[in-house]
């Protein structure tokens, strides 16, 4: 028996039980939850306060703006025309989500239902593509996009987003379809359905919570993606908001108020998506999307 175990045994049962009763008490649980919420809320709140200042007033070290102004939002959306970047992000994220769902749902179903030579190797190969650090793929991706003349274009960014998120969504949809009893498909086949009809009439309706979860996650991931978009585009006409925000970081100075305003604008759509579709995210993930 180790010294740690001996020390633990010397502590009376009542003291040990009292310790765990305290750890599991509502006070501790609520304190931990409140701390977690504050960890998320405080930076956003601070960013909103900063966005209500001018770029000069940021340096006066006051926590709250003395003269709140929306001039930074006006500069970002009107003066710098960053509304184009917001529109680009909507187009990129929506297009990526549609393409990923169209590809990931049947692929996930196929990996969950069909057995053929090399199916495991093929599935591992799909996941293996996501093991590379994205920074290591920047050079070949840039060269391919340059060869295809897709630099500074929305299709170039959308292709990158599909490559980034498709393997993960195939994995999620495969696990979700595996949680649906295969006997239902076989019953449909006995009733005269083809495999495709069994997928369309049985598998797909039951997998809709997982499809919704994948669509929402793909949209959120695509909206915040930065690295590949930064490499592919340098033009505001095709730049997503995640990259446009970075334009306020200069070589010798940072326009903090404008940067904060652009960041607040960038996170508003993601907050709305989470608030309105939270039920689908939770139900989709807990219903089997991430379960084996």
């Amino acid at each position: 028996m180790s010294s740690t175990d001996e020390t633990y045994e010397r502590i009376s049962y009542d003291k040990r039980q009292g310790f765990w009763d305290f750890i599991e008490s509502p006070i501790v649980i609520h304190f931990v939850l409140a701390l977690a919420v504050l960890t998320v809320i405080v930076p956003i709140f601070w960013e909103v306060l900063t966005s209500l200042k001018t770029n000069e007033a940021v340096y006066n070290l006051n926590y709250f703006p003395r003269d709140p102004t929306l001039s930074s939002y006006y500069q970002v959306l009107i003066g710098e025309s960053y509304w184009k970047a917001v529109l680009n992000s909507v187009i990129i994220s929506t297009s990526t989500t549609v393409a990923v769902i169209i590809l990931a749902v049947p692929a996930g179903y196929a990996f969950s239902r069909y057995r053929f030579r090399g199916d495991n190797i093929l599935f591992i190969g799909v996941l293996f593509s996501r093991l590379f650090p994205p920074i290591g793929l920047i050079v070949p991706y840039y060269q391919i996009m340059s060869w295809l003349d897709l630099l500074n274009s929305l299709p170039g960014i959308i292709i990158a987003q599909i490559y980034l998120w498709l393997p993960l969504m195939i994995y999620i949809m495969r696990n979700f379809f595996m949680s649906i009893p295969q006997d239902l498909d076989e019953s449909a086949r006995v009733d005269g359905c083809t495999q495709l009809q069994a997928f369309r009439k049985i598998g797909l309706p039951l997998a809709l919570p997982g499809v919704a979860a994948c669509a929402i996650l793909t949209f959120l991931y695509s909206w915040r993606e930065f690295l590949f978009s930064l490499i592919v585009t340098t033009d505001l006409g095709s730049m997503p908001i995640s990259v446009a925000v970075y334009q306020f970081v200069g070589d010798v100075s940072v326009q903090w108020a404008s940067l904060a305003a652009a960041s607040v604008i960038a996170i508003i759509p993601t907050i709305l998506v989470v608030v309105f579709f939270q039920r689908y995210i939770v139900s989709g993930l807990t219903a089997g999307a991430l379960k084996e």
Side-chain angles (χ1 to χ4, degrees):
M1 182 178 292
S2 65
S3 59
T4 303
D5 294 335
E6 292 175 353
T7 303
Y8 182 79
E9 290 298 333
R10 282 200 295 268
I11 301 175
S12 67
Y13 173 80
D14 291 340
K15 289 185 177 180
R16 283 182 283 163
Q17 189 61 37
F19 171 77
W20 289 113
D21 288 342
F22 172 74
I23 293 297
E24 298 175 359
S25 64
I27 295 177
V28 175
I29 292 175
H30 283 85
F31 174 77
V32 173
L33 292 176
L35 191 61
V37 172
L38 287 176
T39 303
V40 177
I41 295 298
V42 168
I44 297 176
F45 183 65
W46 190 291
E47 192 170 62
V48 172
L49 292 179
T50 304
S51 70
L52 297 177
K53 302 177 180 178
T54 62
N55 287 311
E56 294 74 18
V58 171
Y59 295 96
N60 61 19
L61 300 182
N62 291 321
Y63 294 115
F64 296 93
R66 292 182 176 178
D67 300 311
T69 176
L70 297 177
S71 60
S72 296
Y73 289 94
Y74 180 84
Q75 178 196 357
V76 170
L77 290 176
I78 307 301
E80 303 290 346
S81 299
Y82 274 22
W83 62 268
K84 295 180 180 177
V86 177
L87 179 61
N88 290 337
S89 287
V90 173
I91 296 174
I92 293 169
S93 300
T94 304
S95 302
T96 302
T97 301
V98 172
V100 166
I101 292 302
I102 291 176
L103 297 173
V105 172
Y109 182 79
F111 278 121
S112 69
R113 292 293 189 267
Y114 291 98
R115 292 294 173 266
F116 51 89
R117 180 177 296 179
D119 57 340
N120 288 329
I121 296 177
L122 182 60
F123 181 67
I124 293 174
V126 171
L127 298 181
F128 190 72
S129 62
R130 291 296 294 127
L131 298 181
F132 292 101
I135 190 68
L137 302 173
I138 287 298
V139 173
Y141 182 77
Y142 180 86
Q143 292 177 336
I144 293 173
M145 291 299 105
S146 177
W147 180 66
L148 295 175
D149 197 21
L150 291 178
L151 295 178
N152 292 319
S153 69
L154 296 182
I157 301 175
I158 293 172
I159 292 174
Q161 304 276 9
I162 294 173
Y163 168 77
L164 286 174
W165 310 125
L166 181 59
L168 176 61
M169 299 308 153
I170 290 177
Y171 174 76
I172 292 177
M173 288 309 307
R174 169 185 172 271
N175 288 347
F176 200 95
F177 279 118
M178 290 182 69
S179 70
I180 299 174
Q182 194 166 351
D183 294 343
L184 296 177
D185 291 24
E186 295 174 354
S187 299
R189 296 292 302 276
V190 171
D191 291 338
C193 289
T194 63
Q195 187 68 48
L196 181 60
Q197 290 173 327
F199 163 71
R200 183 169 59 85
K201 295 182 178 180
I202 304 298
L204 185 57
L206 293 175
L208 283 181
V211 176
C214 284
I216 296 168
L217 291 176
T218 303
F219 185 89
L220 295 177
Y221 290 157
S222 178
W223 185 275
R224 72 181 189 182
E225 199 282 328
F226 173 77
L227 182 59
F228 275 75
S229 301
L230 176 66
I231 297 301
V232 170
T233 180
T234 56
D235 180 21
L236 186 59
S238 59
M239 191 178 292
I241 188 64
S242 58
V243 178
V245 171
Y246 185 67
Q247 303 305 307
F248 291 105
V249 180
D251 294 332
V252 295
S253 64
V254 179
Q255 302 178 55
W256 290 110
S258 301
L259 177 63
S263 299
V264 171
I265 294 171
I267 65 175
I268 288 176
T270 59
I271 293 176
L272 294 177
V273 168
V274 172
V275 169
F276 286 105
F277 298 102
Q278 178 186 10
R279 178 166 61 90
Y280 296 99
I281 298 175
V282 174
S283 63
L285 297 181
T286 56
L290 291 181
K291 292 190 299 185
E292 286 287 354

